[in-house]
Amino acid sequence: MHKILFAASEAHPLVKTGGLGDVAGSLPAALKHLHQDVRLILPAYRVAMANAGELREAARLTLPGYDAPVRLWEGRLPGTRVPLYLVDYPTYFDRPGGPYAGPDGRDWPDNAARYALFARAAVTVAMNQAGLDWQPDIVHCNDWQTGLIPALLAQPVSSPVATSVHRRSAAAPPRPATLFTIHNLAYQGLFPWEIFQTLGLPHTLWSMDAMEFYGKFSFIKGGLVFADRLTTVSPTYAREIRTPALGCGLDGLLNHRAAQLTGILNGADYNLWDPRHDPFIAHNYNTRTLQYKALNKTELQRRFNLPQNNELPLLGHVGRLVEQKGIDLLLDALPHLMQHPLQIAVLGSGERRFEQALLQSMERYPGRIGIIIGYHEELAHLVEAGADMFVMPSRFEPCGLNQLYSLRYGTAPIAHRTGGLADTIVDATPENLKAARATGFLFDAPTPAALHDAALRALTLFSRPPQWRKLMRRAMAQDFSWHQSARQYLALYQQALADARTSQHSRA
């Protein structure tokens, strides 16, 4: 059994902005199911505190350089048996808005300071200096907000990182091993030199061999340089980020650490996303009761103010309205798509220009396109259940979760062949259809024309109901649960522990 401290900046159902929240809400629970001693640590955002349920104060930390104690609240991740720690420093975390940005959508200007404090608190727990009488073997860090944790753990230990009001640590214990997961390399946590100077960090971290990146301080480099092992969220994305096209300027470093980099697919939480028992959809169904999927389509059409017609193919999309997700490709493909008898339902929010363009398209094609700006969990489930096809034209997609949900709901994904989309969807080529392997539709070039051609292939197959139902049932039979992914992480934890022991022995 491993003792694992899972550090993240968001976790469903406490707080979620994207796929990281889903992963941090599901992977620790899967590890717990495999009898691991895993504990989740998260900033004590106002919304997280409100959603956490019963909490008790586990420790009060005095971190050097901070004018007030940092309280550590302990509870359980709702719906699981996973112990939860919330790092409470109200000046930084007790705010309205999201975890990274205010109500106006702009990043909090003190994000560097906020996540530096979170890292210091996590390191205090990791080094058994919080008075918890528990030290992890492994610290599993996720994305740039936790990148400073491996960097701090790798520093020479000359004195305790912090003291606890409950117990003072006389001597620092051995450093735990570290694993750093890249969920999206495009978000790097970059801050200017002037900000770095205010953080009270070791000056050795401002180095091209450490966390300096083209004249800025890069939080994500802390994980990439100092963690014992690196992972990302699909095998294809692990290869893509080692290329100039998708390496975001870090491909050289990632190639240097290629032996320590592994791609592990994210899993889908089928406790939440399964049409057999989904409470958010109009009617539950499975592979033997596919006729009930039509009831969800009718309800989806009603909610999006579309004519209720089960014969028309309905394309759905849920996501952030940004270029990465390819929403501009969908918009540019609309004039060609609208030449075919179909409907489109889009749920999402993001850049204002894309929101406005979608609303204008709804006016241009009344009764054929339904747009709801925003995000609603219930509607997201209904789109998966009610649509016939799910469009994911992402320019890059580290893993993607909606295509996994779509497969389980028998909603054929139409997706760009990249990252986790390429790893989880089997394209409906004539050969794959004949061999009974196809589960969706892929296109190679991120262009409106390629998206249209893939959609046309899907529409053609949809017009052949017996073949379409076979594809639906095959998609629904795919298993991308967390169980297999969690076992792969356990194997990597073992490798990280071996790497850490070798590193500490060489330094000694």
Side-chain angles (χ1 to χ4, degrees), residues 11 25 81 103 164 223 277 287 330 340 461 476:
R81 296 182 296 114
S164 165
H277 51 70
T287 54
L330 178 57
H340 309 285
L461 194 68
M476 294 173 74

Side-chain angles (χ1 to χ4, degrees), residues 186-486:
Y187 298 94
Q188 300 182 1
L190 296 175
F191 300 94
W193 160 251
E194 292 76 16
I195 294 293
F196 171 76
Q197 289 180 298
T198 68
L199 299 179
L201 296 172
H203 286 286
T204 53
L205 293 181
W206 187 271
S207 160
M208 66 176 294
D209 296 321
M211 297 176 68
E212 183 270 334
F213 183 68
Y214 294 100
K216 292 188 176 181
F217 187 65
S218 168
F219 270 64
I220 203 169
K221 268 192 76 178
L224 302 185
V225 171
F226 292 102
D228 296 301
R229 285 276 164 169
L230 306 175
T231 69
T232 192
V233 290
S234 71
T236 293
Y237 192 59
R239 294 189 295 270
E240 290 175 338
I241 60 176
R242 292 174 55 198
T243 68
L246 290 178
C248 301
L250 292 163
D251 48 293
L253 171 58
L254 290 164
N255 277 296
H256 175 70
R257 300 216 63 197
Q260 289 81 40
L261 173 63
T262 304
I264 298 178
L265 275 172
N266 282 340
D269 188 345
Y270 293 136
N271 291 319
L272 299 174
W273 294 90
D274 193 315
R276 294 176 301 173
H277 51 70
D278 189 335
F280 294 133
I281 65 178
H283 204 296
N284 297 121
Y285 62 95
N286 57 36
T287 54
R288 296 183 301 277
T289 58
L290 282 179
Q291 67 271 22
Y292 294 133
K293 183 172 168 63
L295 300 177
N296 294 290
K297 182 174 183 176
T298 298
E299 177 62 14
L300 179 62
Q301 289 168 330
R302 186 186 72 81
R303 296 287 290 272
F304 279 77
N305 292 316
L306 296 170
Q308 295 176 16
N309 183 341
N310 193 48
E311 301 303 316
L312 281 177
L314 175 53
L315 281 62
H317 176 82
V318 178
R320 288 185 292 116
L321 305 180
V322 295
E323 280 194 8
Q324 181 213 322
K325 298 297 184 179
I327 190 63
D328 56 316
L329 303 181
L330 178 57
L331 282 163
D332 290 344
L334 280 181
H336 298 287
L337 289 172
M338 289 293 100
Q339 294 176 15
H340 309 285
L342 57 81
Q343 297 173 329
I344 297 177
V346 176
L347 170 67
S349 63
E351 293 185 32
R352 183 67 177 162
R353 57 183 175 131
F354 293 136
E355 293 179 354
Q356 291 176 332
L358 285 168
L359 293 173
Q360 289 168 1
S361 71
M362 185 170 61
E363 294 177 0
R364 182 179 179 185
Y365 303 105
R368 303 196 61 197
I369 299 178
I371 308 294
I372 295 180
I373 300 298
Y375 181 79
H376 309 277
E377 191 75 12
E378 177 184 352
L379 274 180
H381 285 247
L382 185 60
V383 171
E384 291 289 5
D388 298 300
M389 306 150 201
F390 193 95
V391 183
M392 289 188 73
S394 305
R395 284 183 164 79
F396 67 95
E397 192 64 68
C399 177
L401 289 171
N402 277 106
Q403 86 277 14
L404 304 184
Y405 305 152
S406 298
L407 292 169
R408 179 50 60 109
Y409 284 74
T411 303
I414 302 170
H416 179 213
R417 194 191 305 269
T418 185
L421 303 178
D423 291 328
T424 54
I425 301 167
V426 180
D427 190 24
T429 62
E431 295 78 16
N432 286 333
L433 286 169
K434 184 177 181 180
R437 291 193 298 262
T439 60
F441 302 85
L442 294 171
F443 56 94
D444 292 308
T447 65
L451 167 58
H452 171 261
D453 290 347
L456 186 57
R457 287 195 291 126
L459 295 172
T460 300
L461 194 68
F462 183 82
S463 68
R464 303 166 185 165
Q467 294 185 36
W468 186 259
R469 284 192 293 270
K470 287 181 181 178
L471 182 138
M472 290 173 67
R473 291 190 173 97
R474 196 175 307 118
M476 294 173 74
Q478 304 303 302
D479 184 4
F480 291 102
S481 62
W482 271 111
H483 184 74
Q484 181 177 356
S485 300

